[in-house]
Amino acid sequence: MMRELAAGNWAGAFHPRIPPLFVISGVGLIFLGLSPFIAAKLASALWFAVGVLPVYGLQRQVFGHRVAALATLLYVLCTRLQRFAVEGIKDSAKTTLLVAMVWALLLVWQRPSWWRIAGVAVSGALLALVWSGGSVLLLLALGAVLWRDLRGRLVGRQAGWRWPWRTVAAGVLALTLLGPWLAYVRHATGLPLAEARHAEVLRRLGVGMVVDRIQQTPAMPRDPTLALEPQMRAAA
């Protein structure tokens, strides 16, 4: 899929069952002259390296500098995470963005500000673009931020009313980042969802009407790098 996107073949580069961020993150490496197989591996390794920042920041916010340094060292030395980083799969990106969203949410809970709430929205939206479950976590995170904004008034601790414009603006920001992908999935399934399989879940729950074209979407590998399996076997 990275190869197709680099070649300008949009039809072969995207699929409603595969969130696009990991594929997009590896395309720039292909333009540098790397093969799609190596680009996928390097993109995964870069996501793993970036994950050092939110891991350290989250642990330092909760436990202090010493524990944060130890946790970061354990993160780097974890063989399972290292395997994710060298196999060219999206799990490194998913881990990095998930930790970043939790870190931003913790900062908001301690002392809310526009930039911190925006951090929750951006990291959550990017997580939804790399992992189908990220959209659910994004909604839960923004719901927690909204509750943090309103809880004093809802339980009667504060008088008056102030519109939670920061949370609303963060939701608009997240929707803006997700908008092109939601529009693409809507074109394929009939519903503006983060992933095509969500439409099938809603259909089974009897929520809304989903067009029959969802049954006509071609089957594709669950992970975009699985399309590179022939090259992986050849390299081995």
Side-chain angles (χ1 to χ4, degrees):
M1 297 177 75
M2 291 182 183
R3 182 195 305 111
E4 297 297 325
L5 181 57
N9 181 13
W10 297 86
F14 299 109
H15 190 274
R17 292 182 181 272
I18 302 176
L21 182 59
F22 182 73
V23 175
I24 295 173
S25 64
V27 171
L29 300 174
I30 296 179
F31 289 143
L32 295 177
L34 300 178
S35 67
F37 175 64
I38 299 299
K41 284 180 170 290
L42 186 55
S44 183
L46 291 175
W47 277 109
F48 173 75
V50 172
V52 169
L53 298 176
V55 168
Y56 177 81
L58 175 61
Q59 298 299 323
R60 182 177 182 180
Q61 194 71 24
V62 178
F63 300 109
H65 171 72
R66 291 187 177 181
V67 175
L70 178 60
T72 304
L73 179 62
L74 293 176
Y75 168 83
V76 173
L77 297 179
C78 179
T79 55
R80 185 177 182 86
L81 296 176
Q82 290 175 358
R83 187 170 72 250
F84 290 158
V86 300
E87 286 184 349
I89 57 179
K90 64 185 179 183
D91 292 68
S92 293
K94 180 172 67 175
T95 302
T96 295
L97 293 170
L98 178 59
V99 176
M101 187 180 70
V102 174
W103 181 27
L105 186 59
L106 177 63
L107 292 174
V108 169
W109 206 258
Q110 292 178 342
R111 191 177 64 185
S113 69
W114 156 243
W115 294 108
R116 293 179 175 186
I117 296 176
V120 174
V122 171
S123 57
L126 294 180
L127 180 62
L129 290 173
V130 80
W131 174 46
S132 58
S135 57
V136 178
L137 295 182
L138 172 62
L139 292 176
L140 292 176
L142 291 179
V145 173
L146 183 61
W147 167 251
R148 171 70 173 77
D149 224 9
L150 299 178
R151 63 175 180 171
R153 296 167 181 80
L154 292 177
V155 299
R157 294 179 181 174
Q158 299 177 10
W161 169 262
R162 185 179 63 182
W163 182 259
W165 65 267
R166 294 179 300 187
T167 306
V168 174
V172 172
L173 176 60
L175 187 60
T176 301
L177 294 174
L178 289 170
W181 180 245
L182 297 179
Y184 173 78
V185 177
R186 181 183 183 278
H187 175 74
T189 67
L191 286 177
L193 301 171
E195 212 253 68
R197 281 171 288 195
H198 294 172
E200 191 62 33
V201 172
L202 292 179
R203 165 180 283 177
R204 293 180 181 181
L205 293 175
V207 179
M209 296 181 62
V210 184
V211 296
D212 292 335
R213 279 191 301 174
I214 189 174
Q215 299 177 341
Q216 302 173 6
T217 54
M220 292 197 64
R222 184 174 182 179
D223 191 278
T225 56
L226 294 181
L228 303 176
E229 187 177 353
Q231 290 192 22
M232 297 174 65
R233 286 200 294 262

